[in-house]
Coordinates of all heavy atoms in Angstrom, one line a residue:
M1 N 0.9 -1.2 0.0 CA 0.0 0.0 0.0 C 0.9 1.2 0.0 O 1.8 1.3 0.8 CB -0.9 0.0 1.2 CG -1.9 1.1 1.3 SD -3.1 1.0 2.7 CE -3.6 -0.7 2.6
S2 N 0.6 2.2 -0.9 CA 1.4 3.4 -1.0 C 1.2 4.3 0.2 O 0.2 4.2 0.9 CB 1.1 4.1 -2.3 OG -0.2 4.8 -2.2
T3 N 2.2 5.2 0.4 CA 2.1 6.2 1.5 C 0.9 7.1 1.3 O 0.2 7.4 2.3 CB 3.4 7.0 1.5 OG1 4.5 6.2 1.8 CG2 3.3 8.1 2.6
A4 N 0.6 7.5 0.1 CA -0.6 8.3 -0.2 C -1.8 7.6 0.2 O -2.7 8.2 0.8 CB -0.6 8.8 -1.6
T5 N -1.9 6.3 -0.1 CA -3.1 5.6 0.3 C -3.3 5.4 1.8 O -4.4 5.6 2.3 CB -3.1 4.2 -0.4 OG1 -2.9 4.3 -1.8 CG2 -4.3 3.4 -0.1
K6 N -2.2 5.2 2.5 CA -2.2 5.1 3.9 C -2.7 6.4 4.5 O -3.5 6.5 5.4 CB -0.9 4.7 4.5 CG -0.6 3.2 4.3 CD 0.7 2.8 5.0 CE 1.0 1.4 4.8 NZ 2.3 1.0 5.3
Q7 N -2.1 7.5 4.0 CA -2.5 8.8 4.5 C -4.0 9.1 4.2 O -4.7 9.7 5.1 CB -1.7 9.9 3.8 CG -0.3 9.9 4.3 CD 0.6 11.0 3.7 OE1 0.3 11.5 2.6 NE2 1.7 11.2 4.3
E8 N -4.5 8.7 3.1 CA -6.0 8.8 2.8 C -6.8 8.0 3.7 O -7.8 8.5 4.2 CB -6.2 8.4 1.3 CG -5.7 9.4 0.3 CD -5.8 8.8 -1.1 OE1 -6.5 7.8 -1.3 OE2 -5.1 9.4 -2.0
I9 N -6.4 6.8 4.0 CA -7.1 5.9 5.0 C -7.1 6.6 6.4 O -8.2 6.6 7.0 CB -6.5 4.5 5.0 CG1 -6.8 3.8 3.7 CG2 -7.0 3.7 6.2 CD1 -6.0 2.5 3.6
I10 N -6.0 7.1 6.8 CA -5.9 7.8 8.1 C -6.8 9.0 8.1 O -7.6 9.2 9.1 CB -4.4 8.2 8.4 CG1 -3.6 6.9 8.6 CG2 -4.4 9.1 9.6 CD1 -2.1 7.2 8.6
L11 N -6.7 9.8 7.1 CA -7.6 11.0 7.0 C -9.1 10.6 7.0 O -9.9 11.3 7.6 CB -7.2 11.9 5.8 CG -7.6 13.3 5.9 CD1 -7.1 14.0 7.2 CD2 -7.2 14.1 4.7
D12 N -9.4 9.6 6.2 CA -10.8 9.2 6.2 C -11.3 8.7 7.6 O -12.4 9.0 8.0 CB -11.0 8.0 5.2 CG -10.9 8.5 3.7 OD1 -11.0 9.7 3.5 OD2 -10.7 7.6 2.9
A13 N -10.4 8.0 8.3 CA -10.8 7.6 9.7 C -11.0 8.8 10.6 O -11.9 8.9 11.4 CB -9.7 6.7 10.2
Y14 N -10.1 9.8 10.4 CA -10.2 11.0 11.2 C -11.4 11.8 11.0 O -12.1 12.2 11.9 CB -8.9 11.8 11.0 CG -8.8 13.1 11.8 CD1 -8.8 13.1 13.2 CD2 -8.7 14.3 11.2 CE1 -8.7 14.2 13.9 CE2 -8.5 15.5 11.9 CZ -8.5 15.4 13.3 OH -8.4 16.6 14.0
V15 N -11.8 11.9 9.7 CA -13.0 12.6 9.3 C -14.2 11.9 9.9 O -15.2 12.5 10.4 CB -13.1 12.7 7.8 CG1 -14.5 13.2 7.3 CG2 -12.0 13.7 7.3
A16 N -14.2 10.5 9.8 CA -15.4 9.8 10.3 C -15.5 10.0 11.8 O -16.6 10.1 12.3 CB -15.2 8.3 10.0
L17 N -14.4 10.0 12.5 CA -14.5 10.2 13.9 C -15.0 11.6 14.3 O -15.8 11.8 15.2 CB -13.1 10.0 14.6 CG -12.7 8.5 14.7 CD1 -11.2 8.4 15.0 CD2 -13.5 7.8 15.8
L18 N -14.5 12.6 13.5 CA -15.0 14.0 13.7 C -16.5 14.1 13.5 O -17.2 14.7 14.3 CB -14.3 14.9 12.8 CG -12.8 15.3 13.1 CD1 -12.2 16.0 12.0 CD2 -12.7 16.1 14.4
Y19 N -16.9 13.4 12.4 CA -18.3 13.5 12.0 C -19.2 12.7 13.1 O -20.3 13.2 13.5 CB -18.5 12.8 10.6 CG -19.9 12.8 10.2 CD1 -20.6 14.0 9.8 CD2 -20.7 11.6 10.2 CE1 -21.9 13.9 9.3 CE2 -22.0 11.6 9.7 CZ -22.6 12.8 9.3 OH -23.9 12.7 8.9
E20 N -18.8 11.6 13.5 CA -19.6 10.7 14.3 C -19.5 11.1 15.8 O -20.5 11.0 16.5 CB -19.1 9.3 14.2 CG -19.4 8.7 12.9 CD -18.7 7.3 12.6 OE1 -18.2 6.8 13.6 OE2 -18.8 6.8 11.5
H21 N -18.4 11.6 16.3 CA -18.2 11.8 17.7 C -17.7 13.2 18.1 O -17.6 13.5 19.3 CB -17.2 10.8 18.3 CG -17.6 9.4 18.0 ND1 -18.7 8.8 18.6 CD2 -17.1 8.4 17.1 CE1 -18.8 7.5 18.2 NE2 -17.9 7.3 17.3
G22 N -17.3 14.0 17.1 CA -16.8 15.3 17.5 C -15.4 15.4 17.7 O -14.7 14.3 17.8
A23 N -14.8 16.6 17.9 CA -13.4 16.8 18.0 C -12.8 16.2 19.2 O -11.7 15.7 19.2 CB -13.1 18.3 18.0
R24 N -13.5 16.1 20.3 CA -13.0 15.6 21.6 C -12.7 14.1 21.4 O -11.7 13.6 22.1 CB -14.0 15.8 22.7 CG -14.1 17.2 23.1 CD -14.9 17.3 24.3 NE -14.0 17.2 25.5 CZ -14.2 17.8 26.6 NH1 -15.4 18.3 26.9 NH2 -13.3 17.7 27.6
E25 N -13.4 13.4 20.7 CA -13.2 11.9 20.5 C -12.3 11.5 19.3 O -11.9 10.4 19.2 CB -14.6 11.2 20.3 CG -15.5 11.4 21.5 CD -15.0 10.8 22.8 OE1 -14.5 9.7 22.7 OE2 -15.2 11.4 23.9
A26 N -12.0 12.5 18.5 CA -11.2 12.2 17.3 C -9.7 12.4 17.7 O -9.0 13.3 17.2 CB -11.6 13.2 16.2
T27 N -9.3 11.5 18.6 CA -7.9 11.6 19.1 C -6.9 10.8 18.1 O -7.4 10.1 17.3 CB -7.8 11.0 20.5 OG1 -8.1 9.6 20.4 CG2 -8.7 11.7 21.5
I28 N -5.7 11.0 18.4 CA -4.7 10.3 17.6 C -4.9 8.8 17.9 O -4.8 8.0 16.9 CB -3.2 10.7 18.0 CG1 -3.0 12.1 17.6 CG2 -2.2 9.7 17.5 CD1 -2.8 12.3 16.1
D29 N -5.1 8.4 19.1 CA -5.3 7.0 19.4 C -6.5 6.4 18.7 O -6.4 5.3 18.1 CB -5.4 6.7 20.9 CG -4.1 6.9 21.7 OD1 -3.0 6.6 21.1 OD2 -4.1 7.5 22.8
A30 N -7.6 7.1 18.8 CA -8.8 6.6 18.1 C -8.7 6.6 16.6 O -9.2 5.6 16.0 CB -10.0 7.5 18.5
T31 N -8.0 7.6 16.1 CA -7.8 7.6 14.6 C -6.9 6.4 14.2 O -7.2 5.8 13.2 CB -7.2 8.9 14.2 OG1 -8.1 10.0 14.6 CG2 -7.0 9.0 12.7
A32 N -5.9 6.2 15.0 CA -5.0 5.0 14.6 C -5.8 3.7 14.7 O -5.7 2.9 13.8 CB -3.8 5.0 15.6
K33 N -6.5 3.5 15.7 CA -7.3 2.3 15.9 C -8.3 2.1 14.7 O -8.4 1.1 14.1 CB -8.1 2.3 17.2 CG -8.9 1.1 17.4 CD -9.5 1.1 18.8 CE -10.3 -0.2 19.0 NZ -11.0 -0.2 20.3
R34 N -9.0 3.2 14.4 CA -10.0 3.1 13.3 C -9.4 2.9 11.9 O -10.0 2.3 11.1 CB -10.8 4.4 13.3 CG -11.9 4.4 12.2 CD -13.1 5.2 12.6 NE -14.2 5.0 11.7 CZ -15.4 5.3 12.1 NH1 -15.7 5.7 13.3 NH2 -16.4 5.1 11.2
S35 N -8.2 3.4 11.8 CA -7.5 3.2 10.5 C -6.7 1.9 10.4 O -6.1 1.6 9.3 CB -6.6 4.4 10.2 OG -5.6 4.5 11.1
G36 N -6.7 1.1 11.5 CA -6.0 -0.2 11.5 C -4.5 -0.1 11.7 O -3.8 -1.0 11.3
L37 N -4.0 1.0 12.2 CA -2.6 1.2 12.4 C -2.3 1.3 13.9 O -3.2 1.6 14.7 CB -2.1 2.5 11.7 CG -2.2 2.5 10.2 CD1 -1.9 3.9 9.7 CD2 -1.3 1.5 9.6
S38 N -1.1 1.2 14.3 CA -0.7 1.5 15.6 C -0.5 3.0 15.7 O -0.5 3.7 14.7 CB 0.7 0.8 15.9 OG 1.7 1.4 15.1
K39 N -0.4 3.5 16.9 CA -0.2 5.0 17.1 C 1.1 5.4 16.4 O 1.1 6.4 15.8 CB -0.2 5.3 18.6 CG -0.1 6.8 18.9 CD -0.2 7.1 20.4 CE -0.1 8.5 20.7 NZ -0.2 8.8 22.1
A40 N 2.1 4.6 16.6 CA 3.4 4.9 16.0 C 3.3 4.9 14.4 O 3.9 5.7 13.8 CB 4.5 3.9 16.4
G41 N 2.5 4.0 13.9 CA 2.3 3.9 12.5 C 1.6 5.2 12.0 O 2.0 5.7 10.9
L42 N 0.6 5.6 12.7 CA -0.1 6.9 12.3 C 0.9 8.0 12.4 O 0.9 8.9 11.5 CB -1.3 7.1 13.2 CG -2.1 8.3 12.9 CD1 -3.6 8.1 13.2 CD2 -1.7 9.6 13.6
L43 N 1.6 8.1 13.5 CA 2.5 9.2 13.7 C 3.7 9.2 12.7 O 4.3 10.3 12.4 CB 3.1 9.2 15.1 CG 2.1 9.5 16.2 CD1 2.7 9.3 17.6 CD2 1.5 11.0 16.1
H44 N 3.9 8.1 12.0 CA 4.9 8.1 10.9 C 4.4 8.9 9.7 O 5.2 9.6 9.0 CB 5.1 6.6 10.5 CG 6.0 6.5 9.3 ND1 7.3 6.7 9.3 CD2 5.6 6.2 8.0 CE1 7.8 6.6 8.1 NE2 6.8 6.2 7.2
H45 N 3.1 9.0 9.5 CA 2.5 9.7 8.4 C 2.1 11.1 8.8 O 2.1 12.0 8.0 CB 1.3 8.9 7.9 CG 1.7 7.6 7.3 ND1 2.3 7.4 6.1 CD2 1.6 6.3 7.8 CE1 2.5 6.2 5.8 NE2 2.1 5.5 6.9
F46 N 1.6 11.3 10.0 CA 1.1 12.6 10.5 C 1.7 12.7 11.9 O 1.3 12.0 12.8 CB -0.4 12.6 10.6 CG -1.1 12.6 9.2 CD1 -1.6 11.4 8.8 CD2 -1.2 13.7 8.4 CE1 -2.2 11.3 7.5 CE2 -1.8 13.6 7.2 CZ -2.3 12.4 6.7
R47 N 2.6 13.7 12.1 CA 3.3 13.9 13.3 C 2.5 14.3 14.5 O 2.9 14.3 15.7 CB 4.5 14.8 13.1 CG 5.6 14.2 12.3 CD 6.7 15.2 12.1 NE 7.8 14.4 11.4 CZ 9.0 14.2 12.0 NH1 9.2 14.7 13.2 NH2 9.9 13.6 11.3
S48 N 1.3 14.9 14.2 CA 0.5 15.4 15.3 C -1.0 15.6 14.8 O -1.3 15.4 13.6 CB 1.0 16.8 15.7 OG 0.8 17.7 14.6
R49 N -1.8 15.9 15.7 CA -3.2 16.1 15.3 C -3.3 17.4 14.5 O -4.1 17.5 13.6 CB -4.1 16.3 16.6 CG -5.5 16.4 16.3 CD -6.4 16.2 17.5 NE -7.8 16.6 17.2 CZ -8.7 16.5 18.0 NH1 -8.5 16.0 19.2 NH2 -9.9 16.9 17.7
Q50 N -2.4 18.3 14.8 CA -2.4 19.5 13.9 C -2.0 19.2 12.5 O -2.6 19.8 11.5 CB -1.4 20.6 14.5 CG -1.4 21.8 13.7 CD -0.4 22.9 14.3 OE1 0.1 22.7 15.4 NE2 -0.2 23.9 13.6
A51 N -1.2 18.2 12.3 CA -0.8 17.8 10.9 C -2.0 17.2 10.3 O -2.3 17.4 9.1 CB 0.3 16.8 11.0
L52 N -2.8 16.4 11.0 CA -4.1 15.9 10.5 C -5.0 17.0 10.1 O -5.6 17.0 9.0 CB -4.8 15.0 11.5 CG -4.3 13.5 11.6 CD1 -4.8 12.9 12.9 CD2 -4.6 12.7 10.4
D53 N -5.2 18.0 11.0 CA -6.0 19.1 10.7 C -5.6 19.9 9.4 O -6.4 20.3 8.6 CB -6.1 20.1 11.9 CG -6.9 19.5 13.0 OD1 -7.7 18.6 12.8 OD2 -6.6 19.9 14.2
T54 N -4.3 20.1 9.3 CA -3.7 20.8 8.1 C -4.0 20.0 6.9 O -4.4 20.6 5.8 CB -2.2 21.0 8.3 OG1 -2.0 21.8 9.5 CG2 -1.6 21.6 7.1
E55 N -3.9 18.7 6.9 CA -4.2 17.9 5.7 C -5.7 17.9 5.4 O -6.1 17.9 4.2 CB -3.7 16.5 5.9 CG -3.9 15.6 4.7 CD -3.2 16.0 3.4 OE1 -2.3 16.8 3.5 OE2 -3.6 15.6 2.3
L56 N -6.5 17.9 6.4 CA -7.9 17.9 6.2 C -8.3 19.2 5.5 O -9.1 19.3 4.6 CB -8.7 17.8 7.6 CG -10.2 17.9 7.5 CD1 -10.8 16.9 6.5 CD2 -10.8 17.7 8.9
V57 N -7.8 20.4 6.0 CA -8.1 21.7 5.4 C -7.6 21.7 3.9 O -8.3 22.2 3.0 CB -7.4 22.8 6.2 CG1 -7.5 24.1 5.4 CG2 -8.1 22.9 7.5
R58 N -6.4 21.1 3.7 CA -5.9 21.0 2.3 C -6.9 20.2 1.4 O -7.2 20.6 0.3 CB -4.5 20.3 2.2 CG -3.9 20.4 0.9 CD -2.8 19.4 0.7 NE -3.3 18.0 0.8 CZ -4.0 17.4 -0.1 NH1 -4.4 18.0 -1.2 NH2 -4.4 16.1 0.0
R59 N -7.4 19.1 1.9 CA -8.3 18.2 1.2 C -9.6 19.0 0.9 O -10.2 18.9 -0.2 CB -8.6 16.9 1.9 CG -9.6 16.1 1.2 CD -10.2 14.9 2.0 NE -9.3 13.8 2.0 CZ -9.7 12.6 2.5 NH1 -10.8 12.5 3.1 NH2 -8.9 11.6 2.4
L60 N -10.1 19.7 1.9 CA -11.3 20.5 1.8 C -11.2 21.6 0.7 O -12.1 21.8 -0.1 CB -11.8 21.1 3.1 CG -12.3 20.0 4.1 CD1 -12.5 20.7 5.5 CD2 -13.5 19.3 3.6
N61 N -10.0 22.2 0.7 CA -9.7 23.2 -0.3 C -9.7 22.6 -1.7 O -10.2 23.2 -2.6 CB -8.4 24.0 0.0 CG -8.6 25.0 1.1 OD1 -9.7 25.6 1.3 ND2 -7.5 25.2 1.9
E62 N -9.2 21.4 -1.8 CA -9.2 20.7 -3.1 C -10.6 20.5 -3.6 O -10.9 20.7 -4.8 CB -8.4 19.4 -3.0 CG -7.0 19.4 -3.4 CD -6.4 18.0 -3.4 OE1 -7.1 17.0 -3.3 OE2 -5.1 18.0 -3.5
L63 N -11.4 20.0 -2.7 CA -12.8 19.7 -3.0 C -13.6 21.0 -3.4 O -14.4 21.0 -4.3 CB -13.5 19.0 -1.8 CG -13.0 17.6 -1.5 CD1 -13.6 17.1 -0.2 CD2 -13.4 16.7 -2.7
I64 N -13.3 22.1 -2.7 CA -13.9 23.4 -3.0 C -13.5 23.8 -4.4 O -14.3 24.2 -5.2 CB -13.6 24.4 -1.9 CG1 -14.3 24.1 -0.6 CG2 -13.9 25.8 -2.4 CD1 -13.8 24.9 0.6
D65 N -12.2 23.7 -4.7 CA -11.7 24.1 -6.0 C -12.3 23.3 -7.1 O -12.7 23.8 -8.2 CB -10.2 24.0 -6.1 CG -9.4 25.0 -5.2 OD1 -10.0 26.0 -4.8 OD2 -8.2 24.8 -4.9
A66 N -12.5 22.0 -6.9 CA -13.2 21.1 -7.9 C -14.6 21.6 -8.1 O -15.1 21.6 -9.2 CB -13.1 19.7 -7.5
D67 N -15.3 21.9 -7.0 CA -16.7 22.3 -7.1 C -16.8 23.6 -7.8 O -17.7 23.8 -8.7 CB -17.3 22.5 -5.7 CG -17.8 21.2 -5.1 OD1 -17.8 20.2 -5.8 OD2 -18.1 21.2 -3.9
V68 N -15.9 24.6 -7.5 CA -16.0 25.9 -8.2 C -15.7 25.7 -9.7 O -16.4 26.3 -10.5 CB -15.0 26.9 -7.6 CG1 -14.8 28.1 -8.4 CG2 -15.4 27.2 -6.2
A69 N -14.7 24.8 -10.0 CA -14.4 24.6 -11.5 C -15.6 23.9 -12.2 O -16.0 24.3 -13.3 CB -13.2 23.7 -11.6
A70 N -16.3 23.0 -11.5 CA -17.5 22.3 -12.1 C -18.6 23.3 -12.3 O -19.3 23.3 -13.3 CB -17.9 21.2 -11.2
M71 N -18.8 24.2 -11.3 CA -19.9 25.2 -11.4 C -19.5 26.2 -12.5 O -20.4 26.7 -13.2 CB -20.1 25.9 -10.1 CG -20.8 25.0 -9.1 SD -21.3 25.8 -7.6 CE -19.8 25.8 -6.7
G72 N -18.2 26.6 -12.6 CA -17.8 27.5 -13.6 C -17.9 27.0 -15.0 O -18.0 27.8 -16.0
A73 N -17.8 25.7 -15.2 CA -17.9 25.1 -16.5 C -19.3 25.3 -17.1 O -19.4 25.3 -18.3 CB -17.6 23.6 -16.4
D74 N -20.3 25.4 -16.3 CA -21.7 25.6 -16.8 C -22.4 26.5 -15.8 O -23.2 26.1 -15.0 CB -22.4 24.3 -16.9 CG -23.8 24.4 -17.6 OD1 -24.1 25.5 -18.0 OD2 -24.5 23.4 -17.7
P75 N -22.2 27.9 -16.0 CA -22.7 28.8 -15.0 C -24.3 28.8 -14.9 O -24.8 29.0 -13.9 CB -22.3 30.2 -15.6 CG -21.1 29.9 -16.4 CD -21.3 28.5 -16.9
A76 N -24.9 28.4 -16.0 CA -26.4 28.3 -16.0 C -26.9 27.2 -15.0 O -28.0 27.2 -14.5 CB -26.9 28.0 -17.4
Q77 N -26.0 26.2 -14.8 CA -26.4 25.1 -13.9 C -25.7 25.1 -12.5 O -25.8 24.2 -11.8 CB -26.1 23.8 -14.6 CG -26.9 23.5 -15.8 CD -28.3 23.3 -15.5 OE1 -28.7 22.7 -14.5 NE2 -29.2 23.8 -16.4
A78 N -25.1 26.2 -12.2 CA -24.3 26.4 -11.0 C -25.1 26.1 -9.7 O -24.7 25.4 -8.9 CB -23.6 27.7 -10.9
V79 N -26.3 26.7 -9.7 CA -27.1 26.5 -8.5 C -27.6 25.1 -8.4 O -27.5 24.5 -7.3 CB -28.3 27.5 -8.5 CG1 -29.3 27.2 -7.4 CG2 -27.8 28.9 -8.4
H80 N -28.0 24.5 -9.5 CA -28.4 23.1 -9.5 C -27.3 22.2 -9.0 O -27.4 21.3 -8.2 CB -28.9 22.7 -10.9 CG -29.2 21.2 -11.0 ND1 -30.3 20.6 -10.4 CD2 -28.5 20.2 -11.6 CE1 -30.2 19.3 -10.6 NE2 -29.2 19.1 -11.4
Y81 N -26.1 22.4 -9.6 CA -24.9 21.6 -9.2 C -24.6 21.8 -7.7 O -24.4 20.8 -7.0 CB -23.7 22.0 -10.0 CG -22.4 21.3 -9.5 CD1 -22.2 20.0 -10.0 CD2 -21.6 21.9 -8.6 CE1 -21.1 19.3 -9.5 CE2 -20.5 21.2 -8.2 CZ -20.2 20.0 -8.6 OH -19.1 19.3 -8.1
Y82 N -24.7 23.0 -7.2 CA -24.4 23.2 -5.8 C -25.3 22.4 -4.9 O -24.9 21.8 -4.0 CB -24.4 24.7 -5.5 CG -24.3 25.0 -4.0 CD1 -23.0 25.0 -3.5 CD2 -25.3 25.3 -3.2 CE1 -22.8 25.3 -2.1 CE2 -25.2 25.5 -1.8 CZ -23.9 25.5 -1.3 OH -23.7 25.8 0.0
F83 N -26.6 22.5 -5.2 CA -27.5 21.8 -4.3 C -27.4 20.3 -4.5 O -27.5 19.6 -3.5 CB -29.0 22.3 -4.6 CG -29.3 23.6 -4.0 CD1 -29.5 24.7 -4.8 CD2 -29.3 23.7 -2.6 CE1 -29.8 25.9 -4.2 CE2 -29.6 25.0 -2.0 CZ -29.8 26.1 -2.8
A84 N -27.2 19.8 -5.7 CA -27.1 18.4 -6.0 C -25.9 17.8 -5.3 O -25.9 16.7 -4.7 CB -27.1 18.1 -7.5
S85 N -24.8 18.5 -5.3 CA -23.5 18.0 -4.8 C -23.4 18.2 -3.3 O -22.6 17.7 -2.6 CB -22.3 18.7 -5.5 OG -22.3 20.0 -5.2
S86 N -24.3 19.0 -2.7 CA -24.3 19.3 -1.3 C -25.2 18.5 -0.5 O -25.3 18.7 0.7 CB -24.6 20.8 -1.0 OG -23.6 21.6 -1.7
M87 N -26.0 17.6 -1.1 CA -27.0 16.8 -0.4 C -26.4 15.8 0.6 O -27.0 15.4 1.5 CB -27.9 16.1 -1.4 CG -28.7 17.1 -2.3 SD -29.6 18.3 -1.3 CE -30.9 17.2 -0.7
E88 N -25.1 15.4 0.4 CA -24.5 14.5 1.4 C -24.3 15.2 2.7 O -24.3 14.8 3.7 CB -23.1 14.0 0.9 CG -23.2 13.1 -0.3 CD -21.8 12.6 -0.7 OE1 -20.9 12.6 0.1 OE2 -21.7 12.3 -1.9

């Protein structure tokens, strides 16, 4: 498994914990357990919770950029696209 894939798995686990239990429960230990790694394994990829937060913000910015590009590609459908893609 590539480093990028492990980082994605870790970040997905972190996001799931944040969503399901909030910031207090989304600890390094809980994230490691949920992602199937040891704490040391997680810390090899992300040195701290702040590093996880930084990567999460980077991922969110990528998603925002992709949404803006998709809406810009067809301005007449921008509102429809926004609502359709925001239903999750």
Side-chain angles (χ1 to χ4, degrees):
M1 186 176 310
S2 73
T3 298
T5 303
K6 284 184 184 177
Q7 288 179 344
E8 289 170 13
I9 290 169
I10 293 166
L11 196 58
D12 288 344
Y14 183 57
V15 168
L17 287 166
L18 286 169
Y19 179 74
E20 293 168 8
H21 304 287
R24 290 187 94 153
E25 300 294 320
T27 64
I28 292 290
D29 288 325
T31 303
K33 183 177 180 180
R34 183 152 188 157
S35 62
L37 298 171
S38 66
K39 184 176 180 178
L42 184 147
L43 292 172
H44 173 75
H45 297 283
F46 295 99
R47 293 181 170 242
S48 65
R49 186 165 169 179
Q50 183 177 350
L52 279 168
D53 290 337
T54 299
E55 181 61 19
L56 177 56
V57 169
R58 189 202 60 74
R59 179 191 274 189
L60 291 172
N61 282 329
E62 268 186 10
L63 293 171
I64 290 167
D65 291 345
D67 280 349
V68 168
M71 287 187 278
D74 189 2
Q77 294 295 321
V79 172
H80 172 71
Y81 174 82
Y82 175 78
F83 283 114
S85 67
S86 299
M87 297 306 287
E88 289 182 26

